[in-house]
Each structure stands twice: as C-alpha cells, then as structure tokens.
Amino acid sequence: MNNARRITGGVPGLNDEILGVIFSRLPVKTLMRLKCLYKDYSKLISSPWFINLYSKRFSSIPDNHCIFVQTGEINRLIRIQYPGDLIKLNEPCSTDYTVIGSINGLICLVTLIDSRQWICLWNPAINQYKMFRVHNENPQEKRKCDISMGFGYDKDSDDYKVMRILSYKKGGPLTILEIYSTNSECWKEVKSNRRLKMSTSFCNVIVEGFTCWVAEDLDGDIVLASFVWSKEKFFIITFPEEVILTSQNFVATNYHGSFAVLAYSSPTKFKARIDVWEIELDIAAKQCKWIKKNTFHTDFGLSTHWGLTGGDIVVENAPNMPFLFNLTTKQRWELGINPILSLTNYTQSLVSIKGFRRVGNQLKRKRKDSNPVRARLN
C-alpha cells in the first residue's frame, strides 16, 4: 500500500490509497475512460497494487461472476445473477477456437490460422489480446502421443503460463511438458518418465497456483493430476473410494476458490444426489485430504453438468434447454443457449500482459458484413 501512495499526486485531500479503494468500486469501462482523462489516474489504475486490489474486490462479489459459453456458432458471456442477459463479445479471432481455460480475467484460446496452431490470451474486459505460435507444430511426426493443454497462474512470479502436455506410449521420455511464460515470452521443455493420459484435450479446472486434469495412470487408475506452477511438477492425487465406487459420473471444478469434485448419482430418473468433495493440499509435505463438504438432492436427473465458482451448476438434459441451477436455493434459470460445447468460469479484471494489443472492432465488422446494402456497396 505504501507503493500506492507514491504513484500519483492524487486528488487534493485524498491519497492514492483512498483513491484506489474508491476506483476499485467502478466498472472496467469507467476505469478505461479515467485512464485517458488524467495521466496520474492511468498510473494508478495500471499499477500492480491496484490491479490486484480490483481483482480481489471484483471476484468477491457474486453479482460479478460470469460464465463464458461456447456453442460453435455464437459465443457469449452470461452473468450468473442475470442468466437471461447474453453479452456479445468482441472476439480477437474467429469463433472456430477451443477454450483452454480462464483465470483472473484472462481467457486462453487455441485456434488455427492458415493451417497453423496459435494460442491466444485475451482479456475481454479491457479489449486486449496476444497471439503466439505453439512450440512444436507437429509433435506426432516422430512418435504418436496424446496431447492436452492447460493454462494457469504462478503467483510467486506473477506469471501467466500456458502448457502443452505430450504423453507418449513408448520410448523415452514418456512425457514432455512444453511451458510458455508470458514474462519471458518464450517456451521451454520439461521432460519426465511419468506417463499420464489426460481425459480431455484441455485442463479440467484452474485454481490459483494449480491446474488440474482428470487422468489415467500407467496402472489404468483414474487420478487427479494437479500441476503446481511454482514448482513445475505434477502432484498425483487419488480420488475418494466413495466417488469411484458409487457415483455415476463426476466433474472437477473450482468451488468457491478451492479445488473440488462434484460427484453425481441418480437412484431414479427424476431424483439425483450431488456430493461436493473438497481437497486440502499440503504440497510441502506431499499430502492431501478429501472432505465431503455438502450433499445436495435434486428432483431431476441430468446427462451433463458443469460446476461453477460460486457453487451453482449448469445442467444439460438434451434435447431440453440447458439451465443454471442453484444447489442451495433450488432455483433454476434457462440460459437461452443450446447446445453448449464448452463452459468456462470468468470474472472481469484489469490484468494486462506483455505484448497485449487492442482487439479491432469485430462486432461492427460483423454487422457491416451482414448488411446486404453495405455488402453490395463494398
């Protein structure tokens, strides 16, 4: 906080610490305008101290939580408190991309441009992005492998990182981790003789300091592979026996800022039970402990569900419209989007990384292209 006082001359009668607290209550668009209004405001709003303060305050308010929903044709932000409000996005690339994950307001995407794979880091709130090539364009050229990607944040070094996992069935090393650092703006390789087959082509859940996958080890057991960014190592966790033996399916999720598993079982077609298991990790001691935090009962079954940071779930029962469901209050709201290809937790932030540039006005371009009169004039 002492650093905050030295950033600007401030407003007469207000030091920068007080001014920062006031500014932290404002929406991102207003802050972007203030940056253009006064040079000292820009310094304060761009400072690491204020960005961290803003992120903590913004993410602590449930009304600010959003989900980024991808359908293949339209992609939207949905406010959890107002699920009927579908927010259009000014996307940095075409809608044909895969969402790897999101943390602290940054969304990580992977897309194809001219038959080459690119990674995009994007902050929709400040309308900025950065794109860079993958480390190895064709990793299967010499040996066949399974590929999965992850995104995360190393708080110790204040570094956002992207990782691609290459898991080989034969030869050595069995696993190669390709890690991109936004601070150094370069890739590096970490080799390992531990083989893990990830269940999906992208990470299952991101919490601060960790990125996790549901995976299969060499013995065929289902485990949780938690990657610790500060140590750049995997921490392998076995699931509770009850989850493996009694649940019909389960999903890994960020539950109120902690890693958790939502285990689903249904004794009848119209009744279901969802158990919430949280994990306590001690990385230094290499120990972990599962705790069953809650059990919720519903009057419906479900075919697919996603867990959200605030404790709600999104339920899809094809061919019905997907809906948001609050496990505590039992309230439900239709989302107005069907089908859902991917769903990611998202909260706005002011986080900016090296190499960011402004996204062009894609929304205006799309409206122009869809107007037949303008199309003929062009």
Side-chain angles (χ1 to χ4, degrees), residues 319-371:
N320 300 324
M321 185 67 69
F323 60 90
L324 180 69
F325 182 72
N326 186 297
L327 290 169
T328 304
T329 65
K330 309 296 183 184
Q331 289 182 293
R332 66 174 81 184
W333 303 267
E334 284 195 355
L335 293 182
I337 289 182
N338 193 26
I340 295 176
L341 296 184
S342 72
L343 185 150
T344 307
N345 289 290
Y346 174 79
T347 52
Q348 289 187 0
S349 80
L350 296 167
V351 172
S352 179
I353 59 173
K354 191 189 301 184
F356 254 11
R357 57 180 177 173
R358 187 172 181 80
V359 180
N361 196 336
Q362 303 297 329
L363 292 176
K364 183 177 180 181
R365 187 176 302 167
K366 288 178 182 177
R367 288 195 298 269
K368 183 177 179 180
D369 292 343
S370 63
N371 187 321

Side-chain angles (χ1 to χ4, degrees), residues 204-205 207 212-215 222-226 237-265 273-280 289-296 305-308 311-313 327:
N204 294 100
V205 60
V207 294
C212 306
W213 287 258
V214 176
I222 302 300
V223 297
L224 177 70
S226 177
I237 304 165
T238 58
F239 285 102
E241 188 175 354
E242 182 179 335
V243 171
I244 299 297
L245 297 179
T246 65
S247 62
Q248 291 175 237
N249 62 58
F250 58 87
V251 294
T253 186
N254 182 331
Y255 187 76
H256 296 291
S258 300
F259 177 79
V261 166
L262 303 182
Y264 163 76
S265 58
R273 188 184 79 183
I274 296 177
D275 295 325
V276 180
W277 293 81
E278 280 191 13
I279 190 169
E280 293 181 353
K289 180 181 178 181
W290 287 99
I291 301 173
K292 186 191 285 190
K293 298 289 289 187
N294 286 300
T295 296
F296 299 99
H305 67 292
W306 295 266
L308 304 182
D312 299 327
I313 62 172
L327 290 169

Side-chain angles (χ1 to χ4, degrees), residues 64-68 77-80 87 344-348:
N64 295 331
H65 291 183
C66 298
I67 47 178
F68 177 61
L77 273 181
I78 300 175
R79 294 190 186 277
I80 294 177
I87 303 170
T344 307
N345 289 290
Y346 174 79
T347 52
Q348 289 187 0

